[in-house]
Amino acid sequence: MKRAHQKTNLRNYQRVRIRQSSILIFLAVMIIVGSSMWQIWNLRTRVDGQLAQLNEEKAKLLKQEKLLNEEITRLNTPSYIEQLAREQLGLVKQGEILISPKN
């Protein structure tokens, strides 16, 4: 009877030992998975922030490009070239008299 009782205790001890090992392995896997998920979420958050910042910068640059193209178009018109020549270079048309204030 004592031997049967010892075998039963040994089997119960082995079952408890296997359960404890399984629980520890499960917890270790859950910690690894949780840590990986946290790192992925953190990386995703940073990438989304950078993407938003880059999209804002892109919008500003596109607006600046549009303004510069409009200015290029305006600078290439004959009337604006004439205006600049009159104001900055003091040029006049044939037959006109240049009147400038005394300094």
Side-chain angles (χ1 to χ4, degrees):
M1 183 84 149
K2 198 173 189 186
R3 268 191 164 188
H5 187 62
Q6 284 179 345
K7 283 186 180 181
T8 306
N9 283 341
L10 181 62
R11 286 182 192 156
N12 286 338
Y13 175 75
Q14 289 174 342
R15 286 180 188 161
V16 168
R17 184 88 172 159
I18 290 173
R19 283 186 197 144
Q20 288 175 344
S21 298
S22 297
I23 290 172
L24 288 176
I25 291 172
F26 177 75
L27 288 176
V29 168
M30 290 305 294
I31 289 171
I32 292 170
V33 169
S35 174
S36 297
M37 289 178 66
W38 171 256
Q39 290 175 355
I40 290 170
W41 179 81
N42 195 12
L43 180 64
R44 176 65 186 229
T45 303
R46 284 187 285 151
V47 167
D48 286 345
Q50 289 175 346
L51 183 61
Q53 182 182 5
L54 290 172
N55 282 332
E56 288 177 16
E57 187 177 344
K58 178 183 175 184
K60 287 178 186 177
L61 290 172
L62 288 173
K63 184 177 180 180
Q64 184 180 11
E65 179 187 27
K66 181 182 176 185
L67 292 174
L68 289 172
N69 284 331
E70 289 173 359
E71 185 176 359
I72 288 171
T73 302
R74 186 172 46 95
L75 289 172
N76 286 326
T77 60
S79 61
Y80 191 75
I81 293 171
E82 180 182 343
Q83 179 185 347
L84 287 177
R86 288 175 178 270
E87 292 173 359
Q88 294 180 1
L89 301 176
L91 298 178
V92 293
K93 287 184 179 180
Q94 190 174 11
E96 291 182 335
I97 300 172
L98 177 64
I99 300 174
S100 61
K102 292 185 179 182
N103 291 337

